[in-house]
Amino acid sequence: MKKVLPVSVAILCGLFTLVDFFVPHPQIDTIGAKLVEGVTILAAFALLLGLLNLVSVHGRRLATKGEGRRGSSLVLLVGLVGTATIGIALPGSQALDWVFNYLYAPLQGTMTALLAFFAVSALYRAFRLRSVHALILLVTSLFVLLAQLPFSASLSPVLVPLRDWLLTVPVTAGVRGIILGTALGTIATSLRVLLAIDRPYAQ
Amino acid sequence: MPSLTEFLGHIFSTSVDVAALAVLLVFLPLLIVLTVRAQGGKRFPLRPIPVYEKLRQLVSYATESGRPIHVALGVGPLGGEATPDVVMGLTVFDYVARHAAACDQPVCGSAGDPTLLAAAQGLLHTAKEEAGFLERTPGQAVHFYGPDPLAYAAGASHLLGVENQPANVLLGRFGAEGLWLAEAMASQGSAQLGGTTDPAAMPLLTAALDEVVIGEEVYAAGAYLHRPSHLGSLAAQDIMRIIILLTIVIGVILTTWGYW
């Protein structure tokens, strides 16, 4: 019963949502919308669970003497409590805007900017000539980079048409193949969840 | 005389619905029949995928050495469009957790979405229960770092190295933040495996990880690791692929000759 009930509820809800997708009927649409709304409510409860996990992990770390990461845990907890307090006590206030504009947004910007350096580092490792694949990757990348330059047409009249052909024929064909395969995998996995062959919700 | 598309358009609201329904009506019975056959012991041939081969070896090594493998589950929620991706991440986490639990060894996971946290903790609980070590289920083996992709990447990269993981697996819904994690892993010198279905993140992870699965290979994790029932859906996918290929060829011929 402990497993049968959640599995039955999940299968019924899944099938109903699927029927709702194909059948445009006002009553079915209303019930389907309620089910989707239920997902949002459940996700909000899960967020509460995540919050408890975060506080528990970092609270315990903060209380442990000799733990090297106490500083970052303290920053995290202060940030969490501070932002939550301002958000609850002064919703929509300038103080909350200040937190987002002058703390959150700059931190996000900094981290996004760091991705450029990580990309260079990753490409440096990927371009090491360990195999024929790496050689093809290197030559193609260098060619596309060269052909993207504004003055590439003056270097050779072949460069730009060849770049366009490369991007529109082999690259697009490969990406479409991957997308088709991904779509099939997505359908198969979704059907497995729908038929309760995979049950991530009932463990 | 109305074309075939117009005729079907009168029956269904959009042509997208027709295509989706047609795929579903063919795929669903195929999947059921082949899954039943797989569960009955029928073995379908598999081509080797290096990531899963290596993961098997690393899980055995981690179990012997007592060091946990870190499974990064990404930031997609269970219940949204990312569900198939994160289910595969959870499948790999389940595989790692069961092997570790059998020898009462530690596990380590990180999640960027609270629904994943709950699901991963449930899998860990089940693994420990089945291994007979329920009372030793660690409450903090799965770490949650918030649903923001970059915040998750920063938190999870901080986790790396602390427990001296021999390997890190990135499987779930990852975008550009996967690159951050992969680079943090590379700096630790541990093995890095993983994959994504996001076309924008594929080149980044392909460059950054040691071994990578892309596209549909991500969804084959269960069949390759520990769930024979998934072999049925894999075989159904292959049959569907052939049907789609034939449909494309027929469509091209009909379009070229002006019948469509």
Side-chain angles (χ1 to χ4, degrees):
Chain A
M1 192 62 191
K2 192 180 160 189
K3 283 192 176 178
V4 171
L5 188 66
V7 170
S8 309
V9 170
I11 291 175
L12 275 176
C13 293
L15 287 175
F16 197 90
T17 313
L18 195 63
V19 170
D20 180 35
F21 177 77
F22 288 112
V23 182
H25 189 278
Q27 281 180 330
I28 294 175
D29 286 349
T30 311
I31 301 171
K34 289 282 176 199
L35 286 175
V36 173
E37 202 177 310
V39 173
T40 314
I41 294 166
L42 283 175
F45 278 104
L47 192 61
L48 199 64
L49 179 73
L51 189 69
L52 289 174
N53 175 280
L54 206 64
V55 172
S56 159
V57 168
H58 291 277
R60 193 172 293 184
R61 195 179 288 169
L62 208 57
T64 309
K65 283 184 180 173
E67 167 63 65
R69 294 173 294 166
R70 291 172 78 185
S72 51
S73 290
L74 180 67
V75 171
L76 188 141
L77 288 175
V78 168
L80 178 72
V81 174
T83 312
T85 308
I86 296 170
I88 294 165
L90 306 162
S93 67
Q94 281 192 337
L96 196 60
D97 287 348
W98 188 90
V99 170
F100 275 90
N101 292 334
Y102 296 103
L103 288 176
Y104 187 75
L107 282 171
Q108 283 276 18
T110 307
M111 292 180 70
T112 308
L114 279 174
L115 285 175
F117 296 98
F118 289 144
V120 171
S121 161
L123 285 173
Y124 173 74
R125 283 187 285 117
F127 282 165
R128 279 178 298 183
L129 296 177
R130 292 174 297 186
S131 62
V132 178
H133 292 109
L135 179 67
I136 295 169
L137 185 72
L138 175 66
V139 171
T140 315
S141 306
L142 289 179
F143 172 76
V144 174
L145 279 173
L146 180 69
Q148 294 281 34
L149 291 171
F151 54 84
S152 58
S154 62
L155 294 175
S156 165
V158 186
L159 271 181
V160 176
L162 192 58
R163 179 204 65 191
D164 291 344
W165 177 84
L166 203 65
L167 293 178
T168 50
V169 181
V171 173
T172 309
V175 170
R176 280 185 186 171
I178 291 172
I179 290 173
L180 266 176
T182 304
L184 284 174
T186 306
I187 297 169
T189 310
S190 304
L191 287 176
R192 282 204 307 261
V193 174
L194 193 66
L195 299 172
I197 299 166
D198 271 349
R199 285 170 291 180
Y201 47 82
Q203 302 295 336
Chain B
M1 187 180 167
S3 71
L4 185 61
T5 317
E6 286 167 349
F7 173 72
L8 291 172
H10 287 300
I11 302 172
F12 296 94
S13 53
T14 64
S15 58
V16 176
D17 290 358
V18 179
L21 191 62
V23 169
L24 196 66
L25 288 176
V26 179
F27 208 146
L28 190 60
L30 261 178
L31 187 131
I32 293 170
V33 169
L34 292 169
T35 301
V36 169
R37 289 187 71 187
Q39 282 173 336
K42 167 80 178 166
R43 287 287 161 265
F44 298 97
L46 292 173
R47 67 180 168 86
I49 295 181
V51 167
Y52 300 129
E53 303 279 333
K54 196 166 181 179
L55 184 61
R56 283 171 184 277
Q57 295 166 8
L58 285 166
V59 165
S60 301
Y61 172 72
T63 309
E64 285 169 15
S65 65
R67 292 156 63 194
I69 285 182
H70 170 231
V71 182
L73 296 164
V75 290
L78 263 178
E81 57 160 331
T83 302
D85 297 18
V86 298
V87 165
M88 285 302 109
L90 288 169
T91 302
V92 169
F93 181 77
D94 186 32
Y95 175 74
V96 172
R98 280 174 192 275
H99 276 75
C103 303
D104 196 22
Q105 295 294 348
V107 283
C108 177
S110 62
D113 189 90
T115 53
L116 283 181
L117 173 72
Q121 282 181 335
L123 289 170
L124 188 56
H125 184 272
T126 308
K128 284 281 183 185
E129 188 178 26
E130 288 179 5
F133 297 112
L134 183 59
E135 72 288 352
R136 294 172 66 119
T137 305
Q140 299 178 343
V142 186
H143 299 255
F144 170 67
Y145 292 106
D148 183 274
L150 289 174
Y152 165 69
S157 59
H158 197 59
L159 176 71
L160 303 173
V162 174
E163 298 190 56
N164 196 20
Q165 298 97 338
N168 292 280
V169 184
L170 268 87
L171 211 69
R173 177 56 68 96
F174 288 97
E177 75 280 0
L179 178 63
W180 180 304
L181 263 178
E183 281 303 290
M185 292 170 187
S187 67
Q188 297 296 329
S190 54
Q192 317 150 57
L193 318 171
T196 179
T197 58
D198 180 356
M202 273 177 207
L204 298 173
L205 290 191
T206 305
L209 296 174
D210 293 338
E211 299 282 358
V212 68
V213 277
I214 55 170
E216 64 190 302
E217 290 175 342
V218 170
Y219 302 115
Y224 275 80
L225 294 175
H226 66 316
R227 293 193 176 163
S229 62
H230 287 201
L231 284 169
S233 69
L234 217 55
Q237 272 174 251
D238 287 343
I239 294 173
M240 279 304 295
R241 191 194 324 275
I242 292 165
I243 293 172
I244 288 173
L245 275 175
L246 291 174
T247 311
I248 289 172
V249 172
I250 292 167
V252 167
I253 292 168
L254 289 178
T255 310
T256 309
W257 289 349
Y259 288 109
W260 190 267

